[in-house]
Amino acid sequence: MSTAEATADWRLPSPRKVGMACLILTESALFTIFVVAYLFYIGKSLAGPLPSEVLEFPWLGSIALIGSSGTIMVAERFLHSKNHRGFLLWWGITVALGVYFIYFTGAEWHHLIYEKNITISTNVFGTTFYSLVGLHASHVLVGLLLLAVVFVASLRGKIPSDHTEHVEMISWYWHFVDAIWLVVLTVVYIISVRAS
Amino acid sequence: MANVVRKSGLGAAGYPAVFAGFLFALAGGLYGQGAGSEYPMKRVADMFQPLSRPAEMIHGSAVMVLWVTGGIFVVVTALLVYILLKFRKKETDDGSEPPQIYGSSHIELAWTVIPILITVVLILVTSRTIGEIQNAKMPENALKVRLVGHQWWWEVHYPELGIITANEVHVPVSDRDPAKARPTHFELQSADVIHSFWVPQLAGKTDLVPNRTNETWIDPYEPGVYFGNCAEYCGTQHANMLLRVIVHTPEGFEEWVRQMKAPVAPPATPDEIAGHRLFYDTSCVNCHKVDGTVAEGVFGPDLTKLMTRQTIGAGVAPLDDKNLWQWVKDPQVLKVGCLMPDMQLTDKETDLIVAYLKTLE
Amino acid sequence: MAEATTNPQDEFVAPAPEPVGRESGSLTRIIQELVFTVDHKKLGLMYIGSGLFFFVVAGCMAALIRAQLFFPSNDFLEPDVFNRFFTMHGTAMVFLVGMPIIFGFANYLIPLMIGARDMAFPRLNAFGFWVFLFSGILLYFSYLGAPGLYAAGSAPDVGWFAYSPLTARAFSRGTSTDYWTLSLLLGGIGSISTAINILVTVFCYRCKGMLLGRMPLFVWMFVVVAFLVVIALPPLSACQIMLLLDRYLGAKFFDTQAGGSAVLWQHFFWIFGHPEVYILILPGFAIASEVIPVFSRKPIFGYPVMVAASVMIAFISLGVWAHHMFTVGMTSLGNTFFAISTMLVAIPTGIKIFNWLGTMYGGKLRFDLPMMFCIGFLFQFLIAGLTGVMLAVAPFDWQLSDSYFVVAHFHYVLIGALLYAIFAGIYYWYPKAFGRMPSARLGHWHFWLFTVGFHLTFFPQHISGFLGMPRRIFTYEADRGWEIWNQISTVGVLFQIPGILFFVVNLLYSYFKGPKSGDDPWDAWTLEWATTSPPPEYNFAELPEVKSRRPLWDLKHPEDPDWKFE
């Protein structure tokens, strides 16, 4: 445990990484509760539309969001190789894909509310669906805000090299939001649709 | 009492029966003390005086854990006191530091293993008691009762007997011998928020949860009036959502059932008749039910046999003339916040309604 | 603060003195400093000060509750007023007293103990404090701003754990419940921020040589606490969000008429609520683990086991929550599982008591104020833990749950153990924070008065619980056997109040008149004692380098340093 070598080469983890990891951990705990609520209430609605009756698998939105995890990684690679224009392009594509996901979710909700007549107060499915998907969407919005700030900043000049970790942390957050979407897809659009 | 006198064709056994009935009515109705008040009042609900099988099972595990924890307390406290006395810094101290001991694996192991062993014993006893109580099989002759909790009163149904009452649960005494036992099985439901059924001498508590049916059972050994409380905070008058379980002798229970199923005599005196009419003209019938009449309200307690009960307002006051009058006049005085509103009755109107209510026995 | 490596050989240049401007010490200057500060020490003291303020307020409510319960069928307090008092008392004590005081201790001491200059995120730190303070003001504002059933201002009255469906729109009209919900939602954000700050600080800002295995136990316990906060506070936030959705958007999370589950609230709340009580008590253990060794003149007995036991407690505590729900109608399998897990958590907890005793054994005990309160802590925590074991026996809990026995149990934990540890910590680190010694005489009055009062109030409640007295009742009938125990319980308040007065007077008096303490009045061994009292804003002139768990012991005993034996 205690050796002279350990103290001579005193290296501690990066605070930004530990901080973002803690944030992701705590947000995961929050999402877990909403996912558990969703799973618990499958099949328990007394009336009203069921998931299989109203939900369609969100192909385009999911491809956009999952794809944006790929494009953000490409952007980061350009950042590391100091290719400013490459970084700007792929970061911009990431933002665009994120914006598309929000539009897609909004359109889906509009359809569900006005054409399928299911709202958060219709039945327990509506409650758990909108709260879980909405919680996720709100996190996507926050992520988009962070992405946009970086985008605007890099439009006005290069990202300084000692800020690469900041950008990396934002991409961690973005990957986390993506991973949550995979869970939502599985629980909402696959499991509950099959079960109802 | 009226129905006893009006029986026709009494026969040879009739007069003793009338006399016995008179005595029962005397005990039950005449003093306005409610059915069952001839039994000992067990006001002090001491869980260490269990008088029912589930309460006794709990008592067994309670005593065991008290001995174990008591023993641990004595040993550790003695050790603490010894340490405080033996190792306090003396006046003659030379200021040097004592030997700096960092730990000892042997000692650590000992005081890890011993608690683990104690815990294993506790776990075994606990698991067994949980199973014994929760998974007990009810015999065929078990009495079935369904309790529905309301803010702040208890609705009591006997589905197999066709009896509905409130705030008192009447059951027959059981027997310590399992072959002769007649336990009472409860289904517990709620009409609004979470309540809890707790009569410590008879059983542990079980909650009444809306949209859910819970179960519990009691197996009482001694006749008596057992006091209990709602034990889950349920709003303003949680403190006055009181409960009595009246454990009858087998004969007493049959008599109570007979009394509860006997039809209520129609009102006879002018006051009773006027009160009866007033009861329907005012909105009493919106909330209350009286068997054999058009009053079908279920929001409030069933009043069919009101006068057989020991208390009014779910135990907030004994059921006597004064309290009954006050309750009808303005229940908010006796139980502020309760969901029966002040009906703004005049004194005369109250007199009439009370006259009618006193026929409900 | 961005550097993760420091070379102690570097010459450290102290920053220039504050520019002379308005006299420091004027009220505007002081307020300005406090409002804008991001210094962990000032924020720490502000947390503790605010927590003590809410302690007095919530304590007054408790005194009034006890007054009402002195006589059976008493009408000193209306039922609604009483119900609001116990709700506010419980909510405030947990969220506005317990949490801020423990975070105050963490904030003040962790950077000092690990040889850092501040917390990792000083501005986030300030944010956490102000969010907490706002949440407290919001909760109490409900007395003025929340129309209740009778259109009068009214505070929440649903109990501190606010079971549904009592909190539904239908049963809690007006906005009083929403003040509770919003206050806790905000407070949770503050707590999570502080917890993340603690974790990053400890993992990323330790001074050279301070391996994780060389940190003071105080810091280790707060790492465990912060980890628990990060995992267990979000379920509370989820509950609040769900409740708000139910009450305002007609959602059906807990709407039993629409198929919702009242029990689901309990699960989610207690998944937060049980770890919460460990979040509250572990800092008490942290303080005791620093004070007891110093006043026994020996290192803590079994440091690695203490760390392991704390980590085990944290993990197991995430799996015991439904022992608050033994009466709700779970299956015998569910009840058995949670009874077992609850008993398991008693094992590492008990081990810690033995380790503290092992620390004292063979030592030279000094009964200064911090140690007196730690001894009270040990004795009372023993009782609290044992009544906890009784409650873990699920069938016994079927009698004891929701009775005054539980009230007695948790007050023995939170007052008897946690508050005593907090008193010990305040008296121990007071000289460090203010440069003056607290008065031992006033402290003795505080200790004895409060201890007599505490036991008088809470011990009889075990008995009224045994006799069937439920919780949260604003009155009771005579002849239930409860009168005498309630009366003794209320008399105890008459001793606690002067006890607390002596404490407050001690804090104020010693600030102005206490003898100067110097850097290290207790002859202790951790890094906070290696700087001045009070420390400068930058904490250390030179960041230290350590070779053992007790760097000051090594300096004071060069012939017998710890690093030779660890």
mmCIF file of all heavy atoms in Angstrom, chain B residues 214-239:
data_model
loop_
_atom_site.group_PDB
_atom_site.id
_atom_site.type_symbol
_atom_site.label_atom_id
_atom_site.label_comp_id
_atom_site.label_asym_id
_atom_site.label_seq_id
_atom_site.Cartn_x
_atom_site.Cartn_y
_atom_site.Cartn_z
ATOM 1 N N ASN B 214 -55.765 -6.803 2.280
ATOM 2 C CA ASN B 214 -54.837 -7.495 3.171
ATOM 3 C C ASN B 214 -55.605 -8.450 4.055
ATOM 4 O O ASN B 214 -56.838 -8.388 4.138
ATOM 5 C CB ASN B 214 -54.068 -6.478 4.020
ATOM 6 C CG ASN B 214 -52.903 -5.875 3.258
ATOM 7 O OD1 ASN B 214 -52.438 -6.433 2.277
ATOM 8 N ND2 ASN B 214 -52.444 -4.725 3.706
ATOM 9 N N GLU B 215 -54.874 -9.323 4.719
ATOM 10 C CA GLU B 215 -55.533 -10.323 5.569
ATOM 11 C C GLU B 215 -54.852 -10.372 6.915
ATOM 12 O O GLU B 215 -53.645 -10.166 7.010
ATOM 13 C CB GLU B 215 -55.384 -11.711 4.941
ATOM 14 C CG GLU B 215 -56.136 -11.908 3.656
ATOM 15 C CD GLU B 215 -55.974 -13.343 3.179
ATOM 16 O OE1 GLU B 215 -54.835 -13.745 2.879
ATOM 17 O OE2 GLU B 215 -56.990 -14.057 3.142
ATOM 18 N N THR B 216 -55.630 -10.692 7.936
ATOM 19 C CA THR B 216 -55.037 -11.007 9.229
ATOM 20 C C THR B 216 -56.006 -11.912 9.970
ATOM 21 O O THR B 216 -57.107 -12.192 9.465
ATOM 22 C CB THR B 216 -54.701 -9.739 10.029
ATOM 23 O OG1 THR B 216 -53.957 -10.107 11.186
ATOM 24 C CG2 THR B 216 -55.957 -9.011 10.450
ATOM 25 N N TRP B 217 -55.601 -12.367 11.144
ATOM 26 C CA TRP B 217 -56.507 -13.233 11.904
ATOM 27 C C TRP B 217 -56.231 -13.078 13.387
ATOM 28 O O TRP B 217 -55.150 -12.667 13.783
ATOM 29 C CB TRP B 217 -56.353 -14.705 11.485
ATOM 30 C CG TRP B 217 -54.981 -15.285 11.684
ATOM 31 C CD1 TRP B 217 -53.887 -15.058 10.906
ATOM 32 C CD2 TRP B 217 -54.570 -16.198 12.698
ATOM 33 N NE1 TRP B 217 -52.811 -15.764 11.376
ATOM 34 C CE2 TRP B 217 -53.197 -16.485 12.478
ATOM 35 C CE3 TRP B 217 -55.217 -16.808 13.777
ATOM 36 C CZ2 TRP B 217 -52.479 -17.352 13.291
ATOM 37 C CZ3 TRP B 217 -54.491 -17.678 14.591
ATOM 38 C CH2 TRP B 217 -53.131 -17.937 14.346
ATOM 39 N N ILE B 218 -57.266 -13.363 14.165
ATOM 40 C CA ILE B 218 -57.101 -13.392 15.621
ATOM 41 C C ILE B 218 -57.725 -14.678 16.150
ATOM 42 O O ILE B 218 -58.552 -15.296 15.482
ATOM 43 C CB ILE B 218 -57.763 -12.181 16.309
ATOM 44 C CG1 ILE B 218 -59.280 -12.177 16.067
ATOM 45 C CG2 ILE B 218 -57.129 -10.886 15.845
ATOM 46 C CD1 ILE B 218 -60.010 -11.120 16.874
ATOM 47 N N ASP B 219 -57.314 -15.051 17.323
ATOM 48 C CA ASP B 219 -57.754 -16.312 17.918
ATOM 49 C C ASP B 219 -57.847 -16.088 19.431
ATOM 50 O O ASP B 219 -57.029 -16.589 20.198
ATOM 51 C CB ASP B 219 -56.691 -17.370 17.591
ATOM 52 C CG ASP B 219 -57.256 -18.787 17.673
ATOM 53 O OD1 ASP B 219 -58.495 -18.942 17.593
ATOM 54 O OD2 ASP B 219 -56.453 -19.720 17.817
ATOM 55 N N PRO B 220 -58.845 -15.273 19.855
ATOM 56 C CA PRO B 220 -58.832 -14.811 21.246
ATOM 57 C C PRO B 220 -59.210 -15.896 22.252
ATOM 58 O O PRO B 220 -60.072 -16.719 21.985
ATOM 59 C CB PRO B 220 -59.869 -13.692 21.244
ATOM 60 C CG PRO B 220 -60.725 -13.928 20.060
ATOM 61 C CD PRO B 220 -59.955 -14.752 19.079
ATOM 62 N N TYR B 221 -58.582 -15.835 23.417
ATOM 63 C CA TYR B 221 -58.805 -16.878 24.424
ATOM 64 C C TYR B 221 -59.733 -16.442 25.541
ATOM 65 O O TYR B 221 -60.228 -17.282 26.287
ATOM 66 C CB TYR B 221 -57.472 -17.281 25.073
ATOM 67 C CG TYR B 221 -56.462 -17.795 24.097
ATOM 68 C CD1 TYR B 221 -55.122 -17.445 24.207
ATOM 69 C CD2 TYR B 221 -56.822 -18.644 23.050
ATOM 70 C CE1 TYR B 221 -54.180 -17.924 23.329
ATOM 71 C CE2 TYR B 221 -55.886 -19.114 22.165
ATOM 72 C CZ TYR B 221 -54.559 -18.752 22.302
ATOM 73 O OH TYR B 221 -53.619 -19.220 21.428
ATOM 74 N N GLU B 222 -59.911 -15.137 25.704
ATOM 75 C CA GLU B 222 -60.697 -14.651 26.854
ATOM 76 C C GLU B 222 -61.716 -13.641 26.404
ATOM 77 O O GLU B 222 -61.361 -12.716 25.658
ATOM 78 C CB GLU B 222 -59.768 -13.933 27.841
ATOM 79 C CG GLU B 222 -59.180 -14.819 28.896
ATOM 80 C CD GLU B 222 -58.292 -14.010 29.825
ATOM 81 O OE1 GLU B 222 -58.632 -12.843 30.114
ATOM 82 O OE2 GLU B 222 -57.250 -14.556 30.214
ATOM 83 N N PRO B 223 -62.939 -13.779 26.866
ATOM 84 C CA PRO B 223 -63.912 -12.735 26.535
ATOM 85 C C PRO B 223 -63.471 -11.403 27.118
ATOM 86 O O PRO B 223 -62.815 -11.348 28.155
ATOM 87 C CB PRO B 223 -65.199 -13.216 27.222
ATOM 88 C CG PRO B 223 -65.005 -14.660 27.478
ATOM 89 C CD PRO B 223 -63.529 -14.879 27.641
ATOM 90 N N GLY B 224 -63.808 -10.360 26.429
ATOM 91 C CA GLY B 224 -63.439 -9.037 26.917
ATOM 92 C C GLY B 224 -63.665 -8.006 25.838
ATOM 93 O O GLY B 224 -63.946 -8.355 24.683
ATOM 94 N N VAL B 225 -63.522 -6.761 26.212
ATOM 95 C CA VAL B 225 -63.583 -5.675 25.236
ATOM 96 C C VAL B 225 -62.157 -5.188 25.042
ATOM 97 O O VAL B 225 -61.569 -4.591 25.945
ATOM 98 C CB VAL B 225 -64.472 -4.525 25.727
ATOM 99 C CG1 VAL B 225 -64.497 -3.402 24.697
ATOM 100 C CG2 VAL B 225 -65.871 -5.024 26.014
ATOM 101 N N TYR B 226 -61.594 -5.461 23.877
ATOM 102 C CA TYR B 226 -60.195 -5.153 23.611
ATOM 103 C C TYR B 226 -60.094 -3.839 22.871
ATOM 104 O O TYR B 226 -60.760 -3.641 21.855
ATOM 105 C CB TYR B 226 -59.550 -6.267 22.787
ATOM 106 C CG TYR B 226 -59.452 -7.564 23.561
ATOM 107 C CD1 TYR B 226 -60.538 -8.430 23.648
ATOM 108 C CD2 TYR B 226 -58.281 -7.898 24.229
ATOM 109 C CE1 TYR B 226 -60.458 -9.602 24.378
ATOM 110 C CE2 TYR B 226 -58.187 -9.075 24.955
ATOM 111 C CZ TYR B 226 -59.282 -9.919 25.031
ATOM 112 O OH TYR B 226 -59.198 -11.073 25.756
ATOM 113 N N PHE B 227 -59.226 -2.965 23.366
ATOM 114 C CA PHE B 227 -59.104 -1.634 22.784
ATOM 115 C C PHE B 227 -57.989 -1.598 21.743
ATOM 116 O O PHE B 227 -56.923 -2.185 21.929
ATOM 117 C CB PHE B 227 -58.785 -0.617 23.888
ATOM 118 C CG PHE B 227 -59.999 -0.214 24.669
ATOM 119 C CD1 PHE B 227 -60.774 -1.155 25.322
ATOM 120 C CD2 PHE B 227 -60.376 1.115 24.747
ATOM 121 C CE1 PHE B 227 -61.897 -0.791 26.032
ATOM 122 C CE2 PHE B 227 -61.494 1.494 25.462
ATOM 123 C CZ PHE B 227 -62.260 0.550 26.104
ATOM 124 N N GLY B 228 -58.263 -0.897 20.677
ATOM 125 C CA GLY B 228 -57.242 -0.733 19.646
ATOM 126 C C GLY B 228 -57.344 0.647 19.024
ATOM 127 O O GLY B 228 -58.281 1.397 19.288
ATOM 128 N N ASN B 229 -56.358 0.977 18.243
ATOM 129 C CA ASN B 229 -56.301 2.277 17.558
ATOM 130 C C ASN B 229 -55.991 2.057 16.092
ATOM 131 O O ASN B 229 -55.339 1.079 15.739
ATOM 132 C CB ASN B 229 -55.140 3.115 18.104
ATOM 133 C CG ASN B 229 -55.447 3.782 19.398
ATOM 134 O OD1 ASN B 229 -55.719 3.118 20.379
ATOM 135 N ND2 ASN B 229 -55.403 5.086 19.389
ATOM 136 N N CYS B 230 -56.358 3.007 15.261
ATOM 137 C CA CYS B 230 -55.777 3.045 13.920
ATOM 138 C C CYS B 230 -54.305 3.381 14.099
ATOM 139 O O CYS B 230 -53.949 4.299 14.836
ATOM 140 C CB CYS B 230 -56.435 4.135 13.072
ATOM 141 S SG CYS B 230 -55.576 4.400 11.498
ATOM 142 N N ALA B 231 -53.445 2.657 13.433
ATOM 143 C CA ALA B 231 -52.015 2.852 13.679
ATOM 144 C C ALA B 231 -51.265 3.315 12.432
ATOM 145 O O ALA B 231 -50.087 3.060 12.294
ATOM 146 C CB ALA B 231 -51.398 1.552 14.199
ATOM 147 N N GLU B 232 -51.952 3.981 11.519
ATOM 148 C CA GLU B 232 -51.225 4.612 10.411
ATOM 149 C C GLU B 232 -51.847 5.983 10.222
ATOM 150 O O GLU B 232 -53.061 6.066 9.979
ATOM 151 C CB GLU B 232 -51.360 3.782 9.126
ATOM 152 C CG GLU B 232 -50.576 4.338 7.956
ATOM 153 C CD GLU B 232 -49.080 4.402 8.216
ATOM 154 O OE1 GLU B 232 -48.456 3.340 8.405
ATOM 155 O OE2 GLU B 232 -48.508 5.523 8.253
ATOM 156 N N TYR B 233 -51.031 6.998 10.346
ATOM 157 C CA TYR B 233 -51.543 8.374 10.293
ATOM 158 C C TYR B 233 -52.386 8.574 9.049
ATOM 159 O O TYR B 233 -51.936 8.367 7.931
ATOM 160 C CB TYR B 233 -50.375 9.368 10.304
ATOM 161 C CG TYR B 233 -50.815 10.804 10.153
ATOM 162 C CD1 TYR B 233 -51.586 11.417 11.135
ATOM 163 C CD2 TYR B 233 -50.478 11.543 9.035
ATOM 164 C CE1 TYR B 233 -52.012 12.713 10.996
ATOM 165 C CE2 TYR B 233 -50.892 12.850 8.897
ATOM 166 C CZ TYR B 233 -51.653 13.444 9.877
ATOM 167 O OH TYR B 233 -52.072 14.738 9.740
ATOM 168 N N CYS B 234 -53.628 9.000 9.266
ATOM 169 C CA CYS B 234 -54.581 9.043 8.158
ATOM 170 C C CYS B 234 -55.278 10.379 8.077
ATOM 171 O O CYS B 234 -56.330 10.495 7.456
ATOM 172 C CB CYS B 234 -55.601 7.916 8.314
ATOM 173 S SG CYS B 234 -56.340 7.799 9.949
ATOM 174 N N GLY B 235 -54.729 11.396 8.719
ATOM 175 C CA GLY B 235 -55.338 12.716 8.609
ATOM 176 C C GLY B 235 -55.730 13.279 9.969
ATOM 177 O O GLY B 235 -55.359 12.766 11.017
ATOM 178 N N THR B 236 -56.535 14.328 9.910
ATOM 179 C CA THR B 236 -56.845 15.139 11.088
ATOM 180 C C THR B 236 -57.216 14.339 12.332
ATOM 181 O O THR B 236 -56.668 14.555 13.399
ATOM 182 C CB THR B 236 -57.997 16.087 10.763
ATOM 183 O OG1 THR B 236 -57.671 16.805 9.577
ATOM 184 C CG2 THR B 236 -58.251 17.072 11.871
ATOM 185 N N GLN B 237 -58.171 13.423 12.210
ATOM 186 C CA GLN B 237 -58.687 12.741 13.403
ATOM 187 C C GLN B 237 -58.175 11.313 13.532
ATOM 188 O O GLN B 237 -58.848 10.446 14.122
ATOM 189 C CB GLN B 237 -60.218 12.758 13.392
ATOM 190 C CG GLN B 237 -60.805 14.104 13.784
ATOM 191 C CD GLN B 237 -60.636 14.396 15.273
ATOM 192 O OE1 GLN B 237 -60.216 13.528 16.035
ATOM 193 N NE2 GLN B 237 -60.941 15.603 15.681
ATOM 194 N N HIS B 238 -56.978 11.089 13.059
ATOM 195 C CA HIS B 238 -56.337 9.778 13.199
ATOM 196 C C HIS B 238 -56.358 9.328 14.654
ATOM 197 O O HIS B 238 -56.625 8.151 14.955
ATOM 198 C CB HIS B 238 -54.916 9.877 12.654
ATOM 199 C CG HIS B 238 -53.990 8.789 13.077
ATOM 200 N ND1 HIS B 238 -54.154 7.465 12.703
ATOM 201 C CD2 HIS B 238 -52.875 8.798 13.840
ATOM 202 C CE1 HIS B 238 -53.172 6.743 13.207
ATOM 203 N NE2 HIS B 238 -52.378 7.519 13.907
ATOM 204 N N ALA B 239 -56.136 10.295 15.574
ATOM 205 C CA ALA B 239 -56.071 9.924 16.993
ATOM 206 C C ALA B 239 -57.389 9.369 17.500
ATOM 207 O O ALA B 239 -57.419 8.595 18.460
ATOM 208 C CB ALA B 239 -55.694 11.151 17.821
#
